[in-house]
mmCIF file of all heavy atoms in Angstrom:
data_model
loop_
_atom_site.group_PDB
_atom_site.id
_atom_site.type_symbol
_atom_site.label_atom_id
_atom_site.label_comp_id
_atom_site.label_asym_id
_atom_site.label_seq_id
_atom_site.Cartn_x
_atom_site.Cartn_y
_atom_site.Cartn_z
ATOM 1 N N SER T 394 -5.662 -2.571 24.964
ATOM 2 C CA SER T 394 -4.816 -3.372 24.013
ATOM 3 C C SER T 394 -5.437 -4.675 23.862
ATOM 4 O O SER T 394 -5.654 -5.471 24.782
ATOM 5 C CB SER T 394 -3.429 -3.499 24.786
ATOM 6 O OG SER T 394 -2.780 -2.308 24.927
ATOM 7 N N TRP T 395 -5.720 -4.938 22.683
ATOM 8 C CA TRP T 395 -6.451 -6.137 22.245
ATOM 9 C C TRP T 395 -5.429 -7.333 21.963
ATOM 10 O O TRP T 395 -4.274 -7.009 21.571
ATOM 11 C CB TRP T 395 -7.235 -6.023 21.054
ATOM 12 C CG TRP T 395 -8.296 -4.876 21.175
ATOM 13 C CD1 TRP T 395 -8.835 -4.373 22.305
ATOM 14 C CD2 TRP T 395 -8.949 -4.150 20.136
ATOM 15 N NE1 TRP T 395 -9.730 -3.443 22.044
ATOM 16 C CE2 TRP T 395 -9.860 -3.238 20.724
ATOM 17 C CE3 TRP T 395 -8.813 -4.146 18.771
ATOM 18 C CZ2 TRP T 395 -10.650 -2.319 19.957
ATOM 19 C CZ3 TRP T 395 -9.638 -3.191 18.004
ATOM 20 C CH2 TRP T 395 -10.518 -2.352 18.593
ATOM 21 N N SER T 396 -5.818 -8.578 22.206
ATOM 22 C CA SER T 396 -5.078 -9.769 21.919
ATOM 23 C C SER T 396 -4.719 -9.866 20.407
ATOM 24 O O SER T 396 -5.398 -9.300 19.613
ATOM 25 C CB SER T 396 -5.635 -10.918 22.478
ATOM 26 O OG SER T 396 -6.785 -11.326 21.722
ATOM 27 N N PHE T 397 -3.622 -10.648 20.158
ATOM 28 C CA PHE T 397 -3.357 -10.996 18.685
ATOM 29 C C PHE T 397 -4.476 -11.585 18.080
ATOM 30 O O PHE T 397 -4.867 -11.208 16.877
ATOM 31 C CB PHE T 397 -2.124 -11.832 18.640
ATOM 32 C CG PHE T 397 -1.519 -12.065 17.308
ATOM 33 C CD1 PHE T 397 -0.488 -11.322 16.856
ATOM 34 C CD2 PHE T 397 -2.135 -13.038 16.423
ATOM 35 C CE1 PHE T 397 0.092 -11.561 15.621
ATOM 36 C CE2 PHE T 397 -1.670 -13.115 15.135
ATOM 37 C CZ PHE T 397 -0.518 -12.432 14.733
ATOM 38 N N GLU T 398 -5.131 -12.558 18.710
ATOM 39 C CA GLU T 398 -6.272 -13.270 18.116
ATOM 40 C C GLU T 398 -7.455 -12.357 17.808
ATOM 41 O O GLU T 398 -8.076 -12.440 16.819
ATOM 42 C CB GLU T 398 -6.754 -14.402 19.050
ATOM 43 C CG GLU T 398 -5.737 -15.561 19.224
ATOM 44 C CD GLU T 398 -4.502 -15.184 20.100
ATOM 45 O OE1 GLU T 398 -4.578 -14.176 20.833
ATOM 46 O OE2 GLU T 398 -3.466 -15.869 19.957
ATOM 47 N N ASP T 399 -7.679 -11.397 18.793
ATOM 48 C CA ASP T 399 -8.805 -10.463 18.584
ATOM 49 C C ASP T 399 -8.521 -9.577 17.429
ATOM 50 O O ASP T 399 -9.506 -9.349 16.488
ATOM 51 C CB ASP T 399 -9.060 -9.615 19.834
ATOM 52 C CG ASP T 399 -9.715 -10.372 20.893
ATOM 53 O OD1 ASP T 399 -10.299 -11.498 20.559
ATOM 54 O OD2 ASP T 399 -9.787 -9.899 22.081
ATOM 55 N N VAL T 400 -7.345 -9.046 17.200
ATOM 56 C CA VAL T 400 -7.032 -8.073 16.124
ATOM 57 C C VAL T 400 -7.014 -8.822 14.772
ATOM 58 O O VAL T 400 -7.527 -8.381 13.839
ATOM 59 C CB VAL T 400 -5.689 -7.407 16.431
ATOM 60 C CG1 VAL T 400 -5.424 -6.451 15.192
ATOM 61 C CG2 VAL T 400 -5.709 -6.637 17.646
ATOM 62 N N ASP T 401 -6.375 -9.992 14.840
ATOM 63 C CA ASP T 401 -6.396 -10.823 13.631
ATOM 64 C C ASP T 401 -7.807 -11.230 13.165
ATOM 65 O O ASP T 401 -8.059 -11.184 11.983
ATOM 66 C CB ASP T 401 -5.559 -12.149 13.844
ATOM 67 C CG ASP T 401 -5.261 -12.943 12.611
ATOM 68 O OD1 ASP T 401 -5.136 -12.308 11.553
ATOM 69 O OD2 ASP T 401 -5.231 -14.127 12.714
ATOM 70 N N ALA T 402 -8.689 -11.477 14.089
ATOM 71 C CA ALA T 402 -10.105 -11.882 13.750
ATOM 72 C C ALA T 402 -10.788 -10.593 13.113
ATOM 73 O O ALA T 402 -11.469 -10.746 12.089
ATOM 74 C CB ALA T 402 -10.855 -12.356 14.903
ATOM 75 N N LYS T 403 -10.538 -9.459 13.685
ATOM 76 C CA LYS T 403 -11.158 -8.181 13.137
ATOM 77 C C LYS T 403 -10.526 -7.892 11.786
ATOM 78 O O LYS T 403 -11.274 -7.506 10.849
ATOM 79 C CB LYS T 403 -10.881 -7.048 14.086
ATOM 80 C CG LYS T 403 -11.606 -7.098 15.358
ATOM 81 C CD LYS T 403 -11.277 -5.947 16.327
ATOM 82 C CE LYS T 403 -11.822 -6.104 17.829
ATOM 83 N NZ LYS T 403 -13.342 -5.947 17.657
ATOM 84 N N LEU T 404 -9.216 -8.071 11.592
ATOM 85 C CA LEU T 404 -8.630 -7.876 10.283
ATOM 86 C C LEU T 404 -9.281 -8.888 9.176
ATOM 87 O O LEU T 404 -9.601 -8.444 8.157
ATOM 88 C CB LEU T 404 -7.080 -8.187 10.324
ATOM 89 C CG LEU T 404 -6.403 -8.268 9.002
ATOM 90 C CD1 LEU T 404 -6.452 -6.919 8.221
ATOM 91 C CD2 LEU T 404 -4.892 -8.747 9.248
ATOM 92 N N HIS T 405 -9.374 -10.145 9.587
ATOM 93 C CA HIS T 405 -9.872 -11.203 8.702
ATOM 94 C C HIS T 405 -11.350 -10.786 8.305
ATOM 95 O O HIS T 405 -11.687 -10.839 7.137
ATOM 96 C CB HIS T 405 -9.926 -12.575 9.392
ATOM 97 C CG HIS T 405 -10.142 -13.720 8.395
ATOM 98 N ND1 HIS T 405 -9.908 -14.945 8.843
ATOM 99 C CD2 HIS T 405 -10.486 -13.665 7.130
ATOM 100 C CE1 HIS T 405 -10.150 -15.758 7.676
ATOM 101 N NE2 HIS T 405 -10.508 -14.941 6.739
ATOM 102 N N ALA T 406 -12.112 -10.205 9.252
ATOM 103 C CA ALA T 406 -13.515 -9.877 8.991
ATOM 104 C C ALA T 406 -13.590 -8.659 8.075
ATOM 105 O O ALA T 406 -14.382 -8.645 7.190
ATOM 106 C CB ALA T 406 -14.233 -9.565 10.243
ATOM 107 N N ILE T 407 -12.657 -7.733 8.250
ATOM 108 C CA ILE T 407 -12.622 -6.491 7.368
ATOM 109 C C ILE T 407 -12.223 -6.888 5.927
ATOM 110 O O ILE T 407 -12.783 -6.393 4.988
ATOM 111 C CB ILE T 407 -11.573 -5.465 7.957
ATOM 112 C CG1 ILE T 407 -12.153 -4.926 9.268
ATOM 113 C CG2 ILE T 407 -11.317 -4.314 6.872
ATOM 114 C CD1 ILE T 407 -11.094 -3.952 10.026
ATOM 115 N N MET T 408 -11.199 -7.749 5.834
ATOM 116 C CA MET T 408 -10.867 -8.154 4.507
ATOM 117 C C MET T 408 -11.866 -8.910 3.788
ATOM 118 O O MET T 408 -12.149 -8.854 2.532
ATOM 119 C CB MET T 408 -9.472 -8.961 4.573
ATOM 120 C CG MET T 408 -8.278 -8.248 5.071
ATOM 121 S SD MET T 408 -8.000 -6.636 4.333
ATOM 122 C CE MET T 408 -7.713 -7.090 2.576
ATOM 123 N N GLN T 409 -12.718 -9.824 4.535
ATOM 124 C CA GLN T 409 -13.769 -10.479 3.934
ATOM 125 C C GLN T 409 -14.786 -9.528 3.512
ATOM 126 O O GLN T 409 -15.476 -9.610 2.433
ATOM 127 C CB GLN T 409 -14.356 -11.436 4.959
ATOM 128 C CG GLN T 409 -15.474 -12.346 4.363
ATOM 129 C CD GLN T 409 -15.040 -13.369 3.396
ATOM 130 O OE1 GLN T 409 -14.036 -14.096 3.525
ATOM 131 N NE2 GLN T 409 -15.697 -13.341 2.135
ATOM 132 N N ASP T 410 -15.067 -8.485 4.332
ATOM 133 C CA ASP T 410 -16.135 -7.500 3.944
ATOM 134 C C ASP T 410 -15.676 -6.729 2.719
ATOM 135 O O ASP T 410 -16.476 -6.425 1.940
ATOM 136 C CB ASP T 410 -16.361 -6.488 5.164
ATOM 137 C CG ASP T 410 -17.338 -5.464 4.851
ATOM 138 O OD1 ASP T 410 -18.608 -5.813 4.668
ATOM 139 O OD2 ASP T 410 -16.995 -4.275 4.714
ATOM 140 N N ILE T 411 -14.411 -6.410 2.640
ATOM 141 C CA ILE T 411 -13.927 -5.722 1.406
ATOM 142 C C ILE T 411 -14.183 -6.497 0.156
ATOM 143 O O ILE T 411 -14.605 -6.098 -0.837
ATOM 144 C CB ILE T 411 -12.457 -5.315 1.599
ATOM 145 C CG1 ILE T 411 -12.177 -4.245 2.640
ATOM 146 C CG2 ILE T 411 -11.855 -4.768 0.236
ATOM 147 C CD1 ILE T 411 -10.791 -3.932 2.978
ATOM 148 N N HIS T 412 -13.831 -7.794 0.387
ATOM 149 C CA HIS T 412 -14.068 -8.775 -0.788
ATOM 150 C C HIS T 412 -15.518 -8.811 -1.166
ATOM 151 O O HIS T 412 -15.884 -8.636 -2.403
ATOM 152 C CB HIS T 412 -13.649 -10.204 -0.438
ATOM 153 C CG HIS T 412 -14.026 -11.201 -1.432
ATOM 154 N ND1 HIS T 412 -15.274 -11.791 -1.265
ATOM 155 C CD2 HIS T 412 -13.520 -11.604 -2.591
ATOM 156 C CE1 HIS T 412 -15.448 -12.638 -2.376
ATOM 157 N NE2 HIS T 412 -14.403 -12.564 -3.140
ATOM 158 N N ASP T 413 -16.331 -8.974 -0.197
ATOM 159 C CA ASP T 413 -17.766 -9.034 -0.482
ATOM 160 C C ASP T 413 -18.338 -7.818 -1.063
ATOM 161 O O ASP T 413 -19.207 -7.854 -2.014
ATOM 162 C CB ASP T 413 -18.629 -9.398 0.820
ATOM 163 C CG ASP T 413 -18.159 -10.780 1.335
ATOM 164 O OD1 ASP T 413 -17.566 -11.573 0.651
ATOM 165 O OD2 ASP T 413 -18.563 -11.123 2.501
ATOM 166 N N THR T 414 -17.844 -6.593 -0.606
ATOM 167 C CA THR T 414 -18.288 -5.338 -1.127
ATOM 168 C C THR T 414 -17.907 -5.178 -2.558
ATOM 169 O O THR T 414 -18.688 -4.835 -3.459
ATOM 170 C CB THR T 414 -17.711 -4.162 -0.255
ATOM 171 O OG1 THR T 414 -18.178 -4.281 1.058
ATOM 172 C CG2 THR T 414 -18.114 -2.840 -0.805
ATOM 173 N N ALA T 415 -16.649 -5.555 -2.847
ATOM 174 C CA ALA T 415 -16.146 -5.428 -4.309
ATOM 175 C C ALA T 415 -16.778 -6.428 -5.157
ATOM 176 O O ALA T 415 -17.224 -6.128 -6.381
ATOM 177 C CB ALA T 415 -14.660 -5.601 -4.354
#
Side-chain angles (χ1 to χ4, degrees):
S394 295
W395 302 337
S396 70
F397 188 99
E398 292 74 19
D399 283 346
V400 179
D401 190 32
K403 291 177 187 293
L404 168 64
H405 197 171
I407 290 170
M408 297 310 298
Q409 183 67 52
D410 181 69
I411 293 173
H412 168 271
D413 295 348
T414 298

